[in-house]
Structures are given as structure tokens and as C-alpha cells.
Amino acid sequence: MANLRQLFLQNIAQTSVAPLMLQIERAEGMYLYDPDGKAYLDLIAGIGVSGLGHRHPRVVEAAKAQLDQYLHTLVYGEFVLAPQVRLAELLARHLPDPLDSVYFVNSGTEATEGAMKLAKRHTGRFEIVACKKAYHGSTQGAASLMWPKDFTQAFHPLLPGIRHIEYNCEWCLQQITEQTAAVVVETVQGEWGIRPPAEGYLKKLRQRCSEVGALLILDEIQAGYGRTGSLFAFEQYGIVPDILLLAKGMGGGMPIGAFVASREVMSCLSFDPPLGHITTFGGHPVCCAAALATLETLLESDLIQQVKSKEKLFLELLRHPAIVEVRSAGLWLAVELESFDVVQAVIQYCLRQGLITDWFLFNDRSLRIAPPLIITEAQIRWACGVILEAIEQRIRN
Ligand code: PMP
């Protein structure tokens, strides 16, 4: 019998040119463990997922309790399921008006898809504006929003009527017109290597959308749940979107996503045609139970309040002549280095030392740091020490 690594390459569909190939035996808190018991400090939280760390006891307990009650019962939106309803109510309570209607899906890209359909149905328009170097998912609707086109060219034709503008460009907002159904924007652009919005940009964007009757869709799938220093990143910029996209960190390690709008906007999915958006598994009871425990635990803790001081510590420690720039939005940082090769060498060195980092889809010269919010000061110091050592090693060799 071939070993697990050989079988991984043989039977698991491969999309990465250089998979990290780390075999995971178990995970707990800040750490992943390989079969030899070697611990790896997780500095990327499964790409923005495990905000409370891996297998938080309350999340595990809630999922286990739900496993003993019921699993799937019926397709979305028919039965009254307590974990779903309680989660939607808690979310609505912590969102500003009028965001009180939650449609649960299974992933980030599905949240994008649902929101795009909702905007088209609500406005009767089909044009959608998105920002260059944003990432909203890989299914065909969400992939239509992707730019640069090298990622999507092989799959064309995708959706018609997509217009791309530069992020943080105020004069580009004139391209949002009475033809526009929606503008889809990441509150902080993640995969471009952490680009927070410029002063006043999101307010101008909000204003332009309202002027022309286009819906503003904010993608907080990666920013979501505290990472930027507030429960939702948009709270820091004085605006409210028409539709909010969530996933990743929401489930505490279980797969779940959502698009959230007002009841008035969301109601148009229930007529002309009825069942305007259907999902079998969206809002799965076990995922909702885990997501409810995640949100409750986060809200009862002071983890979000600690984000800014932990960010500051990273920024103080990550200083080296070979670091071109560090950009950040809370516990979400991009360390820009000289080249892709340097980033790869640093990632590999860190991995050997027991530290998991990564790069960004649209910025391969930057090292990704997005740890669970539970990271301690001592762990930040250790991780930054390893990264600086990795950079030193690379310079010497
Ligand atoms: N939007 C953003 C901002 C993301 O970062 C991602 C995932 N990297 C997605 C959407 C898509 O999420 P998923 O992989 O769950 O489909």
C-alpha cells in the first residue's frame, strides 16, 4: 500500500504546483501537529478561518451536541431549525439596520453567487462592478469578478456585463451608473496583499451606489469576525452595505457562509420566481451550531479588543532592511519582500521551524500573516523571530 503522501498526489485532485504536503494528525488552539508529534504554530488560521484557534472546546461541544439531535432534515428554508434561527437572530442583533435577513450557504463563493443574483433580481439590472485584484470566489459567477484575467481566461465565456474598476480610485466611481445592479467590494482587499480603503473612499462609494440605485455588496468573507479589530470591518468606516458576505471564520472551522440583506431586499427571492435561490445543505444544523458557539464565544471574550495591540506588536517586531513594506488591517498582515523566490524561501524555512505562513493569490511577493485571534504576545514574538531569521538565512545563502 502506498503511503498517504503518494496517495494524496495520486487520488486528490491537484491544483497547486507546489503543495505544502504537511501531514496533519491533529489540531488544537494555535497549533497543528504532524504524525511525529511535531507542533506547527498556525500563523494563517487555515486562510482566515480559525479565529478562535483550532477545535475551540465550545465549538466542538456545540457541534457534538447537534450531532446527537439531528443532521440534515430538509432543504433550506422549510423547517424551523433552532441553531439556524438563533444564529441568524444573533447576527442580526449585531448588525446595523437594515441588515436583518440572513441567507445561509456553504461557502464564500456561494455567498457571492447568491448576492449577485439577489442584486440582479432586486434592481432588474444585470451589470456588476467589481474591483481589480479582488477575490470573491472560484465558481463561474464569482470568478467573473476576478481580475487579472490570467486566472479566468481559460474558462471564458463567463458572465457578461462585468465592469472592473481600480480599488481606492475615487474618479473611477463614475463608472457606477443607473445600469449597475451592484458593486462588489472587499472592505479591505485581502488577496492583493492587504490593502485597506483610503480615507473617505468607502463613504464615496456608498454615496455613489445610493445615487444611482446600485446595491453595495461588501465582501467580508476573509475580513470577517473580528480580524480587523471590529466584529465587521465596515463598522470602522462609517458605512452600511446593502448586502454583506460572510464565510470562512464564521463557522469556527465548519463550512458555512451567508449573504445578509434587509428583509425587504431579500424578500424578492420568494416571488417571480418563488424559490429564487435554492440550497440543500446551506445552513446545515451542525455548521450553524458551531457558528453560533463561535460568535457567542467571540462576543463574550475581549479578543476583538486585543486585535489592535497585537497588530502593533507585529508591526514593531517585523523590521528588517530586506522588508520592503508591511501592510496591515488588524491581525491581517502582508510582509512585502523582494521577490516571489524570497517569499517561498521564507515560507519553507518557517515550515521547517514549525511555523505556518503563506503568500497571497494576487501578490506573491508578500508573506501572509493572519493568525487565530487567540495568538499570545509570546507566540507573536517567537513567530516574528523565526520570520526574521528566515529572511537573514535567505540573504546569507
Ligand atoms: N471572498 C474572499 C474575500 C475570500 O478571501 C474568499 C476565499 N479566499 C472567498 C470570497 C471565497 O470563499 P470560499 O473559498 O469559501 O468559496
Side-chain angles (χ1 to χ4, degrees):
M1 182 76 168
N3 74 24
L4 221 51
R5 280 159 189 267
Q6 286 165 329
L7 293 174
F8 167 85
L9 291 172
Q10 196 175 302
N11 298 119
I12 296 292
Q14 297 294 310
T15 58
S16 169
V17 281
L20 289 173
M21 299 281 284
L22 182 65
Q23 189 177 327
I24 305 299
E25 188 71 12
R26 70 187 174 88
E28 191 140 358
M30 280 299 300
Y31 293 94
L32 301 170
Y33 297 87
D34 74 9
D36 299 327
K38 179 174 172 184
Y40 295 82
L41 187 82
D42 184 359
L43 214 54
I44 51 173
I47 310 293
V49 171
S50 316
L52 295 175
H54 294 274
R55 290 178 56 251
H56 189 283
R58 267 182 74 180
V59 176
V60 171
E61 197 186 312
K64 279 184 177 166
Q66 187 56 43
L67 282 171
D68 285 336
Q69 276 191 282
Y70 53 87
L71 304 178
H72 176 76
T73 54
L74 185 61
V75 293
Y76 189 76
E78 298 292 338
F79 287 168
V80 180
L81 308 173
Q84 240 182 32
V85 178
R86 295 228 169 87
L87 175 60
E89 189 276 330
L90 187 62
L91 267 171
R93 211 177 336 133
H94 285 87
L95 280 165
D97 285 340
L99 299 173
D100 65 351
S101 181
V102 186
Y103 192 117
F104 289 116
V105 290
N106 305 286
S107 64
T109 200
E110 281 178 70
T112 307
E113 297 287 340
M116 288 167 82
K117 277 178 69 181
L118 176 58
K120 287 163 89 172
R121 169 68 184 82
H122 181 72
T123 59
R125 309 170 184 176
F126 72 92
E127 189 184 277
I128 294 182
V129 173
C131 288
K132 295 180 181 176
K133 295 190 176 145
Y135 184 76
H136 301 290
S138 246
T139 51
Q140 295 196 61
S144 307
L145 305 178
M146 218 188 293
W147 178 293
K149 292 228 187 302
D150 7 335
F151 278 98
T152 58
Q153 200 70 51
F155 310 105
H156 282 200
L158 294 171
L159 280 185
I162 309 295
R163 194 184 276 269
H164 288 98
I165 60 172
E166 296 284 346
Y167 180 74
N168 270 342
C169 166
E170 283 189 14
W171 63 263
C172 300
L173 299 178
Q174 291 311 312
Q175 294 191 52
I176 303 166
T177 68
E178 273 83 9
Q179 311 290 311
T180 313
V183 183
V184 188
V185 180
E186 288 174 87
T187 311
V188 173
Q189 276 207 325
E191 294 301 325
W192 188 20
I194 315 301
R195 314 280 173 163
E199 178 83 36
Y201 172 70
L202 289 179
K203 278 198 174 147
K204 295 249 165 56
L205 171 62
R206 172 68 275 182
Q207 203 180 342
R208 182 67 187 159
C209 287
S210 301
E211 257 165 39
V212 298
L215 297 190
L216 175 59
I217 302 175
L218 283 186
D219 178 343
E220 297 211 357
I221 288 167
Q222 203 170 149
Y225 276 16
R227 182 157 297 285
T228 62
S230 49
L231 183 59
F232 304 105
F234 69 79
E235 292 171 49
Q236 295 173 45
Y237 302 101
I239 57 153
V240 178
D242 297 297
I243 307 178
L244 177 67
L245 310 184
L246 298 170
K248 286 189 179 276
M250 189 181 174
M254 294 293 280
I256 185 167
F259 55 103
V260 188
S262 68
R263 239 173 313 161
E264 185 251 325
V265 169
M266 198 70 92
S267 68
C268 64
L269 291 180
S270 63
F271 62 97
D272 295 338
L275 299 174
H277 198 65
I278 302 175
T279 170
T280 299
F281 287 130
H284 191 282
V286 178
C287 299
C288 282
L292 179 61
T294 301
L295 186 53
E296 283 173 346
T297 307
L298 193 62
L299 291 170
E300 286 166 25
S301 78
D302 58 357
L303 286 170
I304 297 178
Q305 288 86 309
Q306 293 172 19
V307 164
K308 292 286 179 195
S309 63
K310 289 178 179 175
E311 173 190 19
K312 199 161 152 253
L313 184 58
F314 268 114
L315 293 173
E316 275 165 22
L317 295 170
L318 289 171
R319 292 200 180 138
H320 190 282
I323 295 178
V324 178
E325 184 183 32
V326 182
R327 293 175 301 274
S328 66
L331 276 177
W332 202 19
L333 302 95
V335 183
E336 183 136 346
L337 300 169
E338 191 186 295
S339 67
F340 177 62
D341 289 345
V342 177
V343 170
Q344 288 306 314
V346 170
I347 292 172
Q348 290 303 328
Y349 180 90
C350 289
L351 197 59
R352 288 194 295 277
Q353 303 305 311
L355 179 66
I356 299 175
T357 57
D358 198 9
W359 44 290
F360 294 91
L361 194 58
F362 301 131
N363 188 332
D364 61 13
R365 290 198 307 184
S366 290
L367 188 73
R368 180 195 301 263
I369 297 179
L373 309 187
I374 59 167
I375 193 167
T376 65
E377 199 182 301
Q379 288 163 339
I380 294 174
R381 288 185 190 282
W382 180 80
C384 290
V386 174
I387 291 169
L388 294 179
E389 209 175 272
I391 293 172
E392 278 291 319
Q393 284 281 330
R394 167 69 201 195
I395 290 170
R396 264 188 257 128
N397 297 322

